[in-house]
Amino acid sequence: MTDPRFPAFYAEVPRLRVRDPLAEFLGAAEGGILEYGYADAVKLAGHSCPTVASTYALAHHALTRLYPDGLPVRGGVRVEFAHQVDEGVTGVVAAVAGLLTGAAQDGGFKGIGGRFVRRNLQAFGLERPLTMRFVRVDSGAALDAGAELSKVAPDPQMPLLLQRCVHGQADAGEARRFGELWQQRVARILLEHWDDPEVFHLRPA
């Protein structure tokens, strides 16, 4: 269902269904089944950008590949990052990945009776070949994941419009056009390149 507050393409992005044992245990969702869409990642981050989009896509791809025979288990995957949490956009990436996987940092849920622990399922500053590594806690199966966003170039108008907007020189039309072009690039990443191995790299770890 399209939310009129958001660009229409959000509703076209593949959604992710997971099973969350904690949600089932506490009666929060029947069977623990939860469903996430790109708009959920946008609401979490407070914005839609290539970083948020690519992280959503990578987490979606990684989870579905790690659980080929059923729904991915939210809370059953550890996420490891090549950079420190305060380096570049790693904090944003970690937040979006955490939304879909349930993996949290040291402030996350401590569990109940030793079950459903979510804290310390994210680790940072590790030597990894790509941006992230997704690891199943139960089996150790792992995937390295990263995105090459330079393969989806922005519109040529973007640099000038960005500069004018940042410096308060853009009029209302230019500001609106900047937002439209920004989201058009996000749409291309998520729709035209969703299954593009040149943009989204996933490989067994």
Side-chain angles (χ1 to χ4, degrees):
M1 182 177 178
T2 301
D3 187 327
R5 296 171 297 174
F6 297 129
F9 79 84
Y10 288 13
E12 299 178 47
V13 179
R15 300 178 65 81
L16 178 70
R17 295 180 79 236
V18 299
R19 182 178 65 82
D20 190 319
L22 177 59
E24 182 176 18
F25 180 73
L26 296 178
E30 185 175 353
I33 306 302
L34 302 174
E35 185 171 291
Y36 294 93
Y38 180 60
D40 296 310
V42 173
K43 286 183 279 189
L44 174 73
H47 66 284
S48 169
C49 70
T51 295
V52 172
S54 61
T55 304
Y56 177 88
L58 287 171
H60 190 298
H61 287 314
L63 287 170
T64 53
R65 293 186 189 189
L66 285 173
Y67 292 89
D69 300 320
L71 291 180
V73 178
R74 190 172 187 273
V77 172
R78 173 180 169 87
V79 187
E80 302 170 348
F81 299 86
H83 302 292
Q84 296 294 343
V85 68
D86 59 352
E87 185 177 350
V89 297
T90 304
V92 176
V93 173
V96 175
L99 171 69
L100 300 183
T101 64
Q105 300 167 30
D106 56 7
F109 187 60
K110 298 179 182 179
I112 301 173
R115 301 170 63 196
F116 317 120
V117 178
R118 305 294 169 83
R119 69 184 309 181
N120 295 323
L121 286 179
Q122 290 191 356
F124 300 88
L126 303 178
E127 188 172 338
R128 297 290 179 262
L130 298 175
T131 304
M132 293 179 283
R133 176 173 290 176
F134 295 84
V135 185
R136 278 184 60 160
V137 174
D138 58 354
S139 68
L143 284 172
D144 286 321
E148 185 59 62
L149 295 174
S150 64
K151 298 290 186 179
V152 188
D155 186 280
Q157 300 176 59
M158 286 289 290
L160 178 58
L161 287 172
L162 175 60
Q163 184 178 14
R164 288 183 60 78
C165 289
V166 168
H167 290 94
Q169 300 168 340
D171 60 27
E174 289 174 321
R176 183 172 56 254
R177 182 58 175 160
F178 170 76
E180 290 171 350
L181 291 176
W182 184 273
Q183 292 308 314
Q184 285 176 16
R185 184 183 181 211
V186 174
R188 289 170 55 215
I189 291 169
L190 289 172
L191 300 181
E192 295 178 21
H193 296 278
W194 180 262
D195 290 314
D196 187 349
E198 294 295 316
V199 175
F200 297 116
H201 307 306
L202 292 106
R203 59 190 187 221

